[in-house]
Each structure stands twice: as C-alpha cells, then as structure tokens.
Amino acid sequence: MVVVTGQNKVSGNPDDAMSSSDAEDDFQEPATPTATQAGQALPLLPQQFPEVVPLNVGGMYFTTRLSTLRRYEDTMLAAMFSGRHYIPTDAEGRYFIDRDGTFFGDILNFLRSGDLPPRERVRSVYKEAQYYSIGPLLDNLEDIQPLKGEKVRQAFLGLMPYYKDHLERIIEIAKLRAMQRKARFAKLKVCVFKEEMPITPYECPHFNSLRFERSESETKLFEHHCEVDVSFGPWEAVADVYDLLHCIVTDLSDRGITVDHQCIGVCDKHLINHYYCKRPIYEFKITWW
C-alpha cells in the first residue's frame, strides 16, 4: 500500500526509503519553473512597440503613432514607450495606462500638433500634464487663462501671513458650530484689514507722521486683536480688502463650501488718544447642505 501526502511518498517497501544524503542532494537541486510560472513572468526587456500604438487609458481607447508618444524626451510617456519599461496590455492587445483617460485626448492633441485645450478644460489638462511630466505643455498652459491669472493671485496671497491656516480655521469653526447647534449653517466673524495701523480719513495725517517715528512703548499701545474668529492682514500690495475677500470666497467655494459674506461694521476698540481700531468686520455664513 502506498500513501501520498504533500510532496512525501511513503512506501510499504523499506528498500525504497530515501537515505539522508540522497535527500540532501535532492533538496539542493535548483527548482525548475513550471509552465504556469513561466507564463506569468514578465517579458524580456527591451519591449518592442509597433509604429501605430493602440492605447487603453483607464478604459478609454486611443490610437497614435509611437513618434507622437516620444515627441518630448523628458516626459513620462517617452520613458514608458522607450522600450526600457514593460507596459501591460489588455485582452485586445492595447497598451494599458492606469489613469483616467478623460483628458488624455488633449494630451495627444498637444503632442501631435501643439493644440491647447479650451479654457474650461485648462485646469484639468494641467493636472494631467503634471502627471505625464510634459514640460512644454505646462509652460503653454501657465501662460493662458485661467492659470496665468492664478499665478498673479498666488503672488498676492504669498504676501498674506498664514492665509491657508486661516482658511482651515474658518472651516473648522463653522463645522463645529453647525454640529453643536444641529444647524444647516453657521456664522462667524472675520476681520480683513490691509493696514497694520488704524486709519480713518481724519486721522491719516497724524497716523502717517507717527508710523515711522513711534517708540517701542507707543507701538505696544497700538497692538490689538479684534474680537473676531479669524483675522486676515496686514499686507502691502495694490490689491485691497475686497480683492482678498474674493480670494477667500473663491478658495472656499473650490472646496465645495457655500459661503456668503457681508460687512457688519468696524471694530471700535479705543487704542490711544483719538485712535480707534476701525478695522472692517465681516460676517461669514457657511451653509453645509
């Protein structure tokens, strides 16, 4: 009677037993890959590509020339189809790129003839160009709207201390208040001021004469934090308070947050002599659903 369990074969005949030395010799022999394992191995590099390349980009199909994919040497596509890397294929033999293909046609159109996408797709195509590292396309997109305007806007926001942190604070406060009150919306007070020191139309001459000559003790007298939830400012640029308000609302809206705002007055905190704060206070209303 013979019993087979796993890889060991036990025989009823003691003469058929394997000696320890034979077992060691058998264990030291290199394993030979099975046919299944050989079929699963990656093909040898370099990989050869046809002149006309069928593509499957996230389930969307494209066809282009190999020279188009290699148009610019320092791009991801040129590297992928250089032959140095293995590109898997789908069941139909199309080369598969695991990326959303919605805007891949715009990428190909630029590689083919330098065409740029319409304005409403510029931001999305820019993200794809970043992924594929297509420098010439990135440069072209940055020189047209809306990205050119965004560069100017970001240059202005670069003057704003803690701008992104303040945006996060607005969101967190509004979320906490809405949850505490079980309300659809939440309100909070935001101060947006451009000048470091308080100014009113009648006090400008006095203020201007003091701002460059005030002593350290006088400076402390002007130190003040308005009684608000979040405060933006000061900054030095032509852009004014309304420009910054537009940036705040735009950036919150881009995150899917509905926000309304209105000026509800100024801070009337008395500082020194005839100086009052006079910074504008805005009420922000964040609607969650």
Side-chain angles (χ1 to χ4, degrees):
M1 176 180 177
V2 178
V3 179
V4 178
T5 59
Q7 296 180 351
N8 298 324
K9 181 170 67 176
V10 180
S11 173
N13 187 351
D15 294 337
D16 292 337
M18 183 180 295
S19 67
S20 61
S21 59
D22 292 339
E24 292 177 357
D25 292 341
D26 182 67
F27 178 78
Q28 292 173 357
E29 290 182 2
T32 302
T34 64
T36 302
Q37 293 172 331
Q40 293 175 346
L42 297 178
L44 296 177
L45 300 179
Q47 188 175 14
Q48 300 296 320
F49 297 101
E51 181 59 29
V52 177
V53 182
L55 299 170
N56 177 346
V57 184
M60 300 182 68
Y61 306 140
F62 303 89
T63 304
T64 190
R65 297 188 59 161
L66 182 62
S67 58
T68 298
L69 297 172
R70 296 174 176 176
R71 176 63 52 84
Y72 299 103
E73 294 182 358
D74 296 332
T75 67
M76 180 185 291
L77 288 173
M80 291 171 65
F81 290 91
S82 64
R84 301 189 303 270
H85 306 280
Y86 172 69
I87 309 297
T89 57
D90 63 12
E92 302 299 325
R94 306 181 188 92
Y95 294 96
F96 180 72
I97 300 176
D98 193 11
R99 180 78 175 175
D100 188 347
T102 303
F103 302 101
F104 191 76
D106 293 299
I107 298 294
L108 286 182
N109 287 337
F110 177 80
L111 295 176
R112 289 165 176 155
S113 54
D115 292 343
L116 297 177
R119 178 171 178 174
E120 63 270 15
R121 295 208 299 268
V122 165
R123 293 182 186 273
S124 298
V125 176
Y126 186 81
K127 292 181 180 179
E128 295 305 298
Q130 287 179 312
Y131 176 79
Y132 293 111
S133 301
I134 306 176
L137 178 53
L138 291 171
D139 293 339
N140 277 272
L141 293 176
E142 288 175 356
D143 281 338
I144 62 176
Q145 289 287 50
L147 293 184
K148 190 166 187 176
E150 181 62 18
K151 289 178 67 175
V152 176
R153 191 178 81 97
Q154 290 300 328
F156 162 56
L157 292 178
L159 304 174
M160 197 65 48
Y162 310 111
Y163 175 76
K164 292 183 178 180
D165 293 337
H166 291 337
L167 284 183
E168 293 298 330
R169 182 167 174 78
I170 288 176
I171 296 172
E172 288 301 316
I173 291 175
K175 180 176 68 174
L176 180 61
R177 287 181 181 172
M179 294 179 66
Q180 288 176 338
R181 301 172 184 176
K182 309 298 186 294
R184 181 175 172 227
F185 62 87
K187 295 180 180 180
L188 62 159
K189 292 181 179 179
V190 177
C191 178
V192 181
F193 65 101
K194 180 177 179 180
E195 302 293 341
E196 182 180 4
M197 298 292 291
I199 294 181
T200 66
Y202 303 102
E203 297 164 351
C204 281
H206 301 285
F207 163 70
N208 289 335
S209 65
L210 285 174
R211 68 181 302 178
F212 301 110
E213 300 175 1
R214 65 183 186 269
S215 65
E216 184 177 349
S217 60
E218 289 175 329
T219 301
K220 291 182 178 180
L221 291 174
F222 282 101
E223 289 181 354
H224 166 60
H225 297 284
C226 303
E227 295 181 0
V228 295
D229 297 297
V230 183
S231 187
F232 291 85
W235 68 89
E236 294 183 4
V238 174
D240 59 19
V241 168
Y242 298 103
D243 296 320
L244 182 59
L245 285 169
H246 181 272
C247 291
I248 296 171
V249 173
T250 298
D251 289 334
L252 290 175
S253 298
D254 287 345
R255 298 181 61 171
I257 297 174
T258 303
V259 54
D260 296 305
H261 68 281
Q262 61 177 343
C263 184
I264 58 174
V266 296
C267 178
D268 284 328
K269 175 70 175 179
H270 178 251
L271 301 179
I272 178 176
N273 297 331
H274 55 280
Y275 284 97
Y276 291 81
C277 178
K278 301 302 182 184
R279 293 171 180 170
I281 307 298
Y282 294 84
E283 182 182 74
F284 274 52
K285 179 181 177 182
I286 307 294
T287 304
W288 291 107
W289 81 84

